[in-house]
Amino acid sequence: MSAITSAQPSKSPLHRLRSLTGPRRILIHTLLIGVAVVMLYPLLWMLSSSLKPDTEIFTQPGLIPNQVRPENYSEGWSGSGNSFSLYITNSLIVTIGAVIGNVISCSLAAYAFARFEFRGKKIWFGLMLGTLMLPTQAVLIPQYTIFYNLTWINTFLPLIVPKFLAVDAFFIFLMVQFIRSIPRELDQAAMVDGANPWKIYWKIILPLMKPALITTTIFTFIWTYDDFLHQLVYLQQNDRFTVPLGLTLFLDQTSGSSYGAMFAMSTLALLPTLICFLIFQKRLVEGMATSGMKG
């Protein structure tokens, strides 16, 4: 009987939390609510500031505005010289291009590392992982020189084309770990039926690694959409600006800054990433659990 009892799986933390009763459960829920409030306060403050006059944003600390000013949204939408929809469109072009590039190139590179044997495979895989420790600033100047000689400056190409060359080692590693968990017997059965490596990748590997692809899509979308440094370096004209650069146009050190309009557009700029996260939240957790933890 003791052996059977010891073999039973332990209860999960969520199950143990639900089994608590009395003051202990109330205390834990109070702490969790407090942590949630602390984490959400910056977003609530930004939303509140988007409805305040500029004179109240930094002088009135409360979340409830004394004077509601919805005009900040209309002024911010057209107050930077161009419609803010232009910056959102530019960001979506760059972001969608980067997502497509990462999903295609990283999955192909991961498939090669996980399934093929070639000379120097371990060395190349180690060098690929080593790029994770390389700061972005260390390669920024050489990359800028290359793109300048290609006359790609002030275009979206420096932000999109590298993604088609499998430059994000994190996603390659994520997919390699996932592909290694797929039984090789599936590949062998397909080869018996006459499938070549490309068909095995397209018909078997790619559909089975959907959780890893969704994880790559979400992280690439968020990181590219929020990227400020690379967009600042490569984009120079106002009509090419993305959302992070468009928000800087509301700040002026020589004259008055439109903080209310800036916070209003910052609130609207959060919607694409928020919607993306809410839609794929379950898939994101599943992809990280099934991809990153596989041996």
Side-chain angles (χ1 to χ4, degrees), residues 265-276:
M265 293 303 98
S266 298
T267 302
L268 294 181
L270 282 177
L271 294 180
T273 54
L274 181 61
I275 293 172
C276 178

Side-chain angles (χ1 to χ4, degrees), residues 35-141:
V35 172
V37 170
V38 171
M39 295 179 65
L40 291 175
Y41 181 81
L43 294 177
L44 296 176
W45 184 86
M46 181 181 67
L47 178 61
S48 173
S49 299
S50 69
L51 296 171
K52 292 181 180 180
D54 291 346
T55 56
E56 292 186 10
I57 292 177
F58 300 107
T59 58
Q60 199 267 334
L63 293 179
I64 301 177
N66 293 329
Q67 178 184 353
V68 178
R69 194 173 187 275
E71 293 84 1
N72 287 338
Y73 285 86
S74 59
E75 293 177 0
W77 192 260
S78 58
S80 59
N82 290 314
S83 172
F84 205 80
S85 60
L86 174 64
Y87 306 135
I88 296 178
T89 302
N90 291 340
S91 282
L92 291 178
I93 292 174
V94 172
T95 302
I96 293 174
V99 167
I100 295 174
N102 257 354
V103 169
I104 295 175
S105 63
C106 292
S107 62
L108 285 171
Y111 176 56
F113 278 122
R115 285 296 196 253
F116 297 146
E117 296 296 332
F118 50 88
R119 181 175 299 179
K121 172 182 175 180
K122 293 183 179 180
I123 296 176
W124 289 115
F125 189 72
L127 290 175
M128 183 270 296
L129 291 179
T131 60
L132 290 171
M133 297 178 286
L134 189 65
T136 301
Q137 294 79 4
V139 297
L140 192 59
I141 294 178

Side-chain angles (χ1 to χ4, degrees), residues 6-245:
S6 61
Q8 293 178 350
S10 59
K11 295 181 179 180
S12 64
L14 181 60
H15 183 79
R16 290 197 296 268
L17 178 61
R18 290 175 176 174
S19 64
L20 294 176
T21 57
R24 190 175 180 182
R25 183 175 184 179
I26 296 175
L27 176 61
I28 292 178
H29 280 81
T30 303
L31 291 175
L32 292 176
I33 293 173
V35 172
V37 170
V38 171
M39 295 179 65
L40 291 175
Y41 181 81
L43 294 177
L44 296 176
W45 184 86
M46 181 181 67
L47 178 61
S48 173
S49 299
S50 69
L51 296 171
K52 292 181 180 180
D54 291 346
T55 56
E56 292 186 10
I57 292 177
F58 300 107
T59 58
Q60 199 267 334
L63 293 179
I64 301 177
N66 293 329
Q67 178 184 353
V68 178
R69 194 173 187 275
E71 293 84 1
N72 287 338
Y73 285 86
S74 59
E75 293 177 0
W77 192 260
S78 58
S80 59
N82 290 314
S83 172
F84 205 80
S85 60
L86 174 64
Y87 306 135
I88 296 178
T89 302
N90 291 340
S91 282
L92 291 178
I93 292 174
V94 172
T95 302
I96 293 174
V99 167
I100 295 174
N102 257 354
V103 169
I104 295 175
S105 63
C106 292
S107 62
L108 285 171
Y111 176 56
F113 278 122
R115 285 296 196 253
F116 297 146
E117 296 296 332
F118 50 88
R119 181 175 299 179
K121 172 182 175 180
K122 293 183 179 180
I123 296 176
W124 289 115
F125 189 72
L127 290 175
M128 183 270 296
L129 291 179
T131 60
L132 290 171
M133 297 178 286
L134 189 65
T136 301
Q137 294 79 4
V139 297
L140 192 59
I141 294 178
Q143 287 178 345
Y144 183 89
T145 303
I146 294 174
F147 296 139
Y148 179 82
N149 293 329
L150 293 173
T151 66
W152 285 3
I153 302 302
N154 198 40
T155 69
F156 298 146
L157 295 178
L159 304 172
I160 298 177
V161 172
K163 301 298 183 180
F164 285 86
L165 303 177
V167 296
D168 287 325
F170 172 77
F171 299 118
I172 298 176
F173 176 74
L174 191 74
M175 294 183 187
V176 166
Q177 297 299 93
F178 190 92
I179 295 175
R180 285 175 177 173
S181 68
I182 300 175
R184 286 182 176 268
E185 287 77 7
L186 296 176
D187 301 25
Q188 296 169 359
M191 292 176 65
V192 171
D193 292 337
N196 56 30
W198 170 254
K199 185 171 291 187
I200 292 174
Y201 162 78
W202 186 254
K203 296 291 186 179
I204 298 177
I205 300 298
L206 208 58
L208 291 177
M209 60 186 299
K210 186 182 295 184
L213 296 178
I214 292 176
T215 302
T216 300
T217 298
I218 296 173
F219 277 113
T220 302
F221 185 94
I222 295 175
W223 292 348
T224 305
Y225 187 86
D226 293 339
D227 183 24
F228 177 78
L229 177 61
H230 292 89
Q231 297 170 12
L232 176 65
V233 170
Y234 297 121
L235 303 179
Q236 299 175 349
Q237 295 180 356
N238 189 295
D239 59 349
R240 298 282 182 173
F241 280 4
T242 54
V243 168
L245 300 182

